[in-house]
Amino acid sequence: MKYQYFIIFIGFLFTFNIHSNDLALEYVDIAGVQFKVIKNGESNRRFIWIHGDEKTAAILLKRHLKDNYGTAFLIENNEREVFINGFMMDPNRIFSKAGAQESLINLNGRTSKEDVSQTLSLIEKDRDKFFANIVPPNGGLLIALHNNLRDYSIDNEIPFSTEVSLKNSEHP
């Protein structure tokens, strides 16, 4: 319990510096959701911080990039969810049409089919360009950083990992 409070305290101390002017030279976005790009040297390692309320993940990522090569994509948001087309969404779900649709419906109550369709179209329009920016070169890794203070871990995702996956020519 003391450890959790310490992590929260550290996260609070660094909250004001998460979105500072690091060495960002560019931004990438998907459907208006902005990610600051921070790069240290040339590497086939890519990192993405996707939930704006998970400050410890961002702090550790920025610290890691001070001493290690890689490219980080830091979400420009302070909340867990983002808004696309005026609708709340879990940014983890932007990577697939099915995930985006489920998130839109679950987080926005009675959403019309037309609103869901329009929002999915906005995401779909930008998805390939977004992927082209964040996907590492052959043999590289894309690592998504998260905090696990909510009794959640990767073990919760294992049942879904074989059911749904992002497919490309390198990883069928």
Side-chain angles (χ1 to χ4, degrees), residues 2-129:
K2 288 180 184 179
Y3 180 71
Q4 284 181 333
Y5 288 124
F6 177 72
I7 295 289
I8 291 168
F9 176 72
I10 295 297
F12 177 76
L13 287 177
F14 289 98
T15 297
F16 303 106
N17 194 30
I18 295 297
H19 297 290
S20 66
N21 289 332
D22 297 302
L23 302 174
L25 300 176
E26 63 181 292
Y27 291 83
V28 297
D29 78 279
I30 180 167
V33 178
Q34 294 259 318
F35 291 82
K36 183 187 305 186
V37 181
I38 299 175
K39 191 172 184 177
N40 182 15
E42 293 298 322
S43 171
N44 64 356
R45 301 294 189 252
R46 304 291 184 268
F47 306 91
I48 187 166
W49 172 54
I50 202 148
H51 285 132
D53 68 336
E54 296 180 352
K55 307 296 186 196
T56 306
I59 293 165
L60 292 174
L61 176 53
K62 290 167 88 175
R63 185 178 303 149
H64 174 77
L65 282 181
K66 286 185 179 188
D67 298 322
N68 300 280
Y69 293 138
T71 302
F73 303 91
L74 306 171
I75 194 161
E76 288 283 293
N77 190 41
N78 287 315
E79 306 298 325
R80 180 172 186 79
E81 290 83 14
V82 296
F83 283 88
I84 298 175
N85 198 31
F87 296 99
M88 186 183 295
M89 244 191 107
D90 180 343
N92 265 341
R93 306 298 174 232
I94 60 177
F95 298 101
S96 73
K97 184 175 182 178
Q101 182 173 346
E102 182 179 332
S103 180
L104 285 168
I105 292 168
N106 288 343
L107 293 176
N108 294 287
R110 295 183 185 183
T111 308
S112 74
K113 287 183 181 181
E114 183 178 326
D115 286 338
V116 170
S117 179
Q118 286 177 345
T119 306
L120 291 175
S121 291
L122 287 172
I123 296 166
E124 192 70 29
K125 182 182 79 140
D126 289 350
R127 188 176 287 124
D128 287 341
K129 182 179 174 192

